[in-house]
Amino acid sequence: MKSQIILCSGGARSGKSEFAERLALATEGRKAYVATGQAFDDEMVDRIKKHQERRGNIWTNFEIPLYLAEEWQHISSVADVILIDCLTMFTTNHMMAHGSIQGQEDANRLEDTILSELEALLNLIKVSDDKIVIFVTNEIGLGIVPDNKLARYFRDIAGRVNRTVATEADKLYLTISGVTIELKSQEVHING
């Protein structure tokens, strides 16, 4: 059986991670949790701790902030159901690791780097057998246009990261205020 890709999106604190965890736990197979978050401040330390406490010891845990494709073979060798939380932090980590963005050329180069890493991972998933990979991400493009250039670059890159995974996803769930709906099956295709 070919592997399945699922994307769970929503706003901050919408309940998307909890939904993704319940979805993974309801699926047969060995579980892996891939956390991309890094604790750079007290708020992130607290957030990561709460996520870890909620997960318990059911999962094989990985902390991989950047190079997910490099670790795919190891992750997929110990799990059948793999939850990657989250693409937004993965994007943030790349932005922080690759230095300052001085202009559109730097932003384009960074976006290419992030998308290349992500596409390599998606290609590895697609050639794997019998894996269910659940990505979690923030839907950040629904608010006002940010007032500074760096935030606009981040919003644009994160949007393309989400769209790249959504295009490959077999299912796409959106959680708003704790209510989740499936969107991929509702997608409208227009030829031309």
Side-chain angles (χ1 to χ4, degrees):
M1 180 176 93
K2 96 176 186 70
S3 289
Q4 185 178 24
I5 297 172
I6 299 170
L7 179 61
C8 298
S9 188
R13 303 286 195 211
S14 64
K16 64 191 175 299
S17 290
E18 291 92 339
F19 172 79
E21 289 169 16
R22 288 192 311 272
L23 181 63
L25 291 172
T27 305
E28 283 291 318
R30 301 166 298 159
K31 314 289 190 274
Y33 199 107
V34 179
T36 62
Q38 297 182 85
F40 291 117
D41 56 35
D42 291 341
E43 187 272 334
M44 276 305 291
V45 168
D46 184 60
R47 186 179 295 244
I48 289 169
K49 181 181 175 193
K50 286 177 181 171
H51 273 251
Q52 290 170 338
E53 288 170 354
R54 187 177 67 233
R55 288 196 305 264
N57 59 4
I58 297 168
W59 309 81
T60 300
N61 291 295
F62 296 89
E63 293 183 9
I64 306 171
L66 290 169
Y67 302 107
L68 298 168
E70 287 180 13
E71 299 294 330
W72 176 251
Q73 294 298 30
H74 182 213
I75 297 165
S76 65
S77 71
V78 299
D80 308 301
V81 181
I82 300 155
L83 175 58
I84 300 173
D85 192 358
C86 81
L87 289 173
T88 311
M89 287 305 304
F90 167 80
T91 302
T92 300
N93 295 338
H94 273 283
M95 289 186 78
M96 294 179 78
H98 291 92
S100 64
I101 299 175
Q102 299 301 316
Q104 190 62 51
E105 188 175 310
D106 289 342
N108 291 344
R109 191 172 22 260
L110 176 60
E111 181 177 323
D112 290 345
T113 298
I114 295 169
L115 291 177
S116 292
E117 165 71 16
L118 185 59
E119 288 166 0
L121 176 63
L122 291 168
N123 287 333
L124 289 168
I125 293 168
K126 288 190 279 186
V127 299
S128 299
D129 288 329
D130 294 329
K131 303 295 177 197
I132 296 175
V133 182
I134 303 169
F135 289 93
V136 177
T137 194
N138 287 288
E139 187 53 58
I140 62 171
L142 297 175
I144 61 171
V145 174
D147 68 346
N148 68 78
K149 185 169 45 173
L150 182 60
R152 287 191 299 274
Y153 288 143
F154 174 75
R155 178 209 52 196
D156 292 348
I157 294 170
R160 286 194 248 318
V161 164
N162 290 349
R163 192 168 67 201
T164 297
V165 176
T167 298
E168 298 298 331
D170 299 287
K171 292 183 181 175
L172 167 59
Y173 293 99
L174 177 66
T175 301
I176 300 172
S177 301
V179 177
T180 303
I181 57 173
E182 198 280 323
L183 294 176
K184 190 77 176 202
S185 64
Q186 306 300 310
E187 186 176 17
V188 175
H189 296 278
I190 298 174
N191 295 328

